[in-house]
Amino acid sequence: MMSISENYKKITDVIPAHLKIVAIGKTKTSEDILSLYECGHRVFGETRVQELLPKYEKLPEDIKWQMVGHLQRNKVKYIAPFVDMIQSVDSLKLLNVINKEGLKNNRLINCLFQMHIAEEETKFGMTKDEIFEILESDDFRQMKNISVKGVMGMATFTDNEKQIRKEFKTLKTIFDQVKEKYFRSDDGFSEISMGMSSDYEIAIEEGATMVRIGTALFGERQY
Ligand SMILES: *Cc1c(COP(=O)(O)O)cnc(C)c1O
C-alpha cells in the first residue's frame, strides 16, 4: 500500500497546477490528515459537522476547511466561525441561515451552489431553475455575509464514462449560464467543483477548477 505522501505526489504530479485539490478526510483520523498537511497541503473537506468539529479543534489553524456534505440548518452555527467554504448549499433557506451566522461572526462565508446532476434521486442538489430563483430573490439581494463562488456537483456512481462526462458537461454549462446572467463582472464567481477519486480526470477535461479527492489520497474508507 502506498503512503499518503506517495499518493499525494502521484496526484499532484498529474493534476494541472492551477487546479485546487480538496482533500476529503471523512472517516479518516486527524493523524491521516496531519500526514497530508505535512506535505504542504492546506485545503481539507468533510461531509459531517460532527466529524469536522473535533478535527478542526485538534488540527493546525491554517487549514482551510470545506463543508462538502449535506448541511442541516441547525448545524450551520457550529462551523460558521471558521469554515472556509460551504460547497453544499442546496436551498435558499440554508443560504439564509449561513448569511445570518456569517453576520453574527462578522464574516463573509464562501459558498458554492450544489447542483443535482446525477441520475440518482438520493443525491442532494438543486436544479438550474432553483438556482436562478435564488439569485433573483429579494432575500438573496439583501445577503451581505455570503460570497457565492461557483457551483458543485457529484456525478452518478457508475463506470459509464459517457454518462459521467455528460453530467459534468451539464454542470459546466449551468455554471456558464449563471456566470453570464448574474456574475459577469464578478471575478470571484469562478469555481466549478467536480470530480472525485474515480472521475477527477474526466472532470478536469470538462472544466473543473476544484476536485474533491478522498480515497485516492487516504486509501479506502472503512465504515
Ligand atoms: C466522499 C466525497 C468525496 C470524495 O470521494 P472519493 O471517491 O473518496 O474521492 C468528494 N465529494 C463528496 C461530496 C464526498 O462526499
Side-chain angles (χ1 to χ4, degrees):
M1 216 175 79
M2 294 218 297
S3 69
I4 291 172
S5 62
E6 284 168 329
N7 289 339
Y8 185 60
K9 182 165 185 328
K10 209 175 118 194
I11 289 176
T12 48
D13 279 352
V14 298
I15 288 184
H18 66 271
L19 247 109
K20 299 182 180 110
I21 300 174
V22 185
I24 307 295
K26 64 185 178 198
T27 79
K28 298 297 172 180
T29 63
S30 296
E31 287 69 34
D32 290 335
I33 290 171
L34 205 53
S35 346
L36 193 52
Y37 178 89
E38 281 160 2
C39 301
H41 196 74
R42 292 294 179 270
V43 186
F44 291 87
E46 289 288 335
T47 52
R48 294 161 69 237
V49 170
Q50 53 275 45
E51 199 176 335
L52 171 52
L53 291 178
K55 286 175 177 169
Y56 164 69
E57 271 155 31
K58 227 188 242 172
L59 287 160
E61 246 181 88
D62 60 342
I63 288 182
K64 292 180 188 296
W65 290 104
Q66 317 259 311
M67 181 67 196
V68 303
H70 181 63
L71 178 58
Q72 287 170 311
R73 297 198 291 278
N74 61 5
K75 298 218 170 108
V76 175
K77 57 179 176 287
Y78 302 115
I79 61 171
F82 68 88
V83 72
D84 178 68
M85 182 180 272
I86 298 175
Q87 297 207 1
S88 42
V89 174
D90 57 7
S91 71
L92 178 58
K93 280 181 177 168
L94 176 60
L95 200 60
N96 265 319
V97 175
I98 297 170
N99 183 60
K100 208 173 77 190
E101 294 298 329
L103 180 64
K104 274 190 204 158
N105 288 281
N106 195 24
R107 298 186 70 217
L108 192 61
I109 300 181
N110 298 318
C111 295
L112 300 182
F113 286 150
Q114 182 172 358
M115 255 218 79
H116 188 276
I117 53 171
E119 277 188 338
E120 296 131 312
E121 282 299 318
T122 48
K123 290 209 167 114
F124 289 99
M126 300 185 279
T127 63
K128 178 178 136 181
D129 288 348
E130 287 171 316
I131 292 176
F132 276 50
E133 213 171 284
I134 289 181
L135 292 169
E136 277 167 23
S137 68
D138 288 335
D139 271 11
F140 180 74
R141 275 185 213 109
Q142 281 159 23
M143 291 180 195
K144 299 275 184 287
N145 291 81
I146 52 144
S147 178
V148 181
K149 299 293 188 192
V151 296
M152 182 271 248
M154 279 170 101
T156 303
F157 184 70
T158 172
D159 44 26
N160 181 348
E161 193 187 309
K162 251 186 165 165
Q163 173 77 23
I164 294 170
R165 193 177 290 281
K166 190 182 88 189
E167 293 171 2
F168 287 154
K169 274 190 203 298
T170 302
L171 187 59
K172 170 72 164 81
T173 303
I174 308 273
F175 169 85
D176 289 341
Q177 290 171 350
V178 172
K179 171 88 185 162
E180 169 72 19
K181 189 148 186 222
Y182 300 99
F183 295 95
R184 208 169 343 160
S185 54
D186 177 358
D187 292 340
F189 187 87
S190 58
E191 301 292 357
I192 305 175
S193 171
M194 60 186 187
M196 319 200 324
S197 293
S198 58
D199 55 19
Y200 67 84
E201 281 149 322
I202 307 173
I204 292 169
E205 286 167 11
E206 297 305 331
T209 63
M210 219 181 226
V211 290
R212 307 178 310 270
I213 301 185
T215 312
L217 286 168
F218 296 111
E220 293 292 333
R221 285 181 290 274
Q222 250 103 50
Y223 287 97

